[in-house]
Amino acid sequence: MVPVKGVLCHSHPSFWVDVGVDVGYAALITVCLLIMACVLAIAACYICSAQRASGRVVHFNTANQVLVQTLSRPPWTLTATSDPELSIHGFAFAGEGITIVDSNTLERKRSRRPITVGAKWSRGVSHGKHMYEVIWPEVHRGVTASVGVGTATTPLFIKGKVTLVGMTAASWGFDIAKKTIFHNSAPGRRCPPNEEDIIPERFFMYVDMDRGELGFGSSNEYWGVMAENIHNLNQPLYVMVGANVSMARLQVFYRGSGRPFH
């Protein structure tokens, strides 16, 4: 190794500046930094691969260096097939105050009382993976508008403007006005996590009875699993909604399943 004793200043040839730099040590430090960069890159690739396998992709937003997390839609939703026999099911039970216009469309009756009324699907699910499309305009939501699943005995009426679906221990509901999941009257995860996001008029609900998971997402974004262990009751769960706005109109459609309907 040859140490550099000084550097000649061209403007003043007679003036030497002693920089005390050892070329060999500088090269060694450079090599170490390159090795560390490679190790970090390999670790980052490993983390991303593991998170992709679990349905989560993590990346950095280079504009502001904020860690951004994007959730991947469950694979079964990409191959879910529609079945005419399953698609004929729809709303069949409704509390006083809701009109079933057709099997997929509900209309809330005009009311001056502060009440929340619900409706329930004609058939519950106990196995398989099922996808539903919800169309609920923002102007028809009010202070609470819930959609989710519940057992056959889950109430369809409650006084006050409260979250109906998710009110009991036998129901799980996503209040799209509050952007929060509810179970047994207790608030859970927010959906989507970004508070500025508005739930679009059209979105999807994913009911995975094999894994006991309830998830939601839009046509181009998956918001994640919002409730777990929904199959622990060992009872069929029915699609449910709860509305409080007079003359509110909403629709729910069965869009396919990853396994045969049971």
Side-chain angles (χ1 to χ4, degrees):
M1 295 184 293
V2 181
V4 177
K5 297 298 184 182
V7 177
L8 179 63
C9 180
H10 293 287
S11 60
H12 300 281
S14 62
F15 181 73
W16 287 79
V17 179
D18 187 5
V19 296
V21 177
D22 191 309
V23 175
Y25 285 119
L28 181 61
I29 292 173
T30 302
V31 171
C32 290
L33 290 175
L34 289 173
I35 292 175
M36 290 176 63
C38 291
V39 170
L40 290 174
I42 293 172
C45 291
Y46 175 79
I47 292 173
C48 287
S49 298
Q51 288 175 330
R52 283 192 181 94
S54 64
R56 296 176 182 269
V57 180
V58 176
H59 61 279
F60 279 95
N61 182 334
T62 54
N64 53 16
Q65 295 299 307
V66 175
L67 187 64
V68 178
Q69 179 172 277
T70 302
L71 301 177
S72 299
R73 194 180 305 278
W76 67 266
T77 65
L78 304 177
T79 58
T81 57
S82 179
D83 189 324
E85 182 181 349
L86 307 182
S87 300
I88 63 173
H89 293 284
F91 290 109
F93 311 100
E96 184 179 355
I98 281 188
T99 299
I100 300 178
V101 179
D102 57 46
S103 60
N104 302 110
T105 307
L106 301 173
E107 188 172 284
R108 176 80 159 77
K109 296 178 182 178
R110 188 180 300 278
S111 175
R112 295 182 179 179
R113 295 184 298 161
I115 59 175
T116 304
V117 187
K120 193 178 299 179
W121 213 246
S122 60
R123 185 175 180 180
V125 294
S126 55
H127 301 86
K129 308 172 187 294
H130 310 278
M131 181 166 58
Y132 302 86
E133 182 179 11
V134 183
I135 303 175
W136 200 326
E138 186 179 359
V139 296
H140 293 170
R141 298 175 186 178
V143 296
T144 176
S146 54
V147 57
V149 293
T151 63
T153 58
T154 302
L156 296 177
F157 177 90
I158 186 174
K159 292 182 179 179
K161 295 184 178 182
V162 298
T163 303
L164 178 63
V165 188
M167 177 186 65
T168 68
S171 65
W172 293 260
F174 174 35
D175 194 321
I176 60 176
K178 301 174 183 177
K179 296 187 293 185
T180 303
I181 199 78
F182 283 83
H183 173 59
N184 202 17
S185 296
R189 302 174 188 173
R190 288 188 61 82
C191 174
N194 187 351
E195 293 192 9
E196 276 119 18
D197 289 342
I198 297 175
I199 305 300
E201 176 176 322
R202 184 187 302 265
F203 59 94
F204 294 89
M205 178 172 69
Y206 308 101
V207 182
D208 188 341
M209 293 300 292
D210 297 329
R211 297 174 61 90
E213 297 175 345
L214 180 66
F216 293 89
S218 64
S219 57
N220 55 11
E221 184 181 11
Y222 180 58
W223 301 328
V225 174
M226 305 307 295
E228 299 172 328
N229 301 317
I230 64 174
H231 57 352
N232 283 356
L233 296 177
N234 294 318
Q235 297 183 50
L237 296 181
Y238 298 74
V239 172
M240 292 184 59
V241 299
N244 72 87
V245 174
S246 293
M247 308 306 294
R249 189 179 180 90
L250 63 109
Q251 295 178 297
V252 180
F253 298 89
Y254 184 82
R255 292 306 189 199
S257 64
R259 293 183 56 179
F261 194 93
H262 295 289

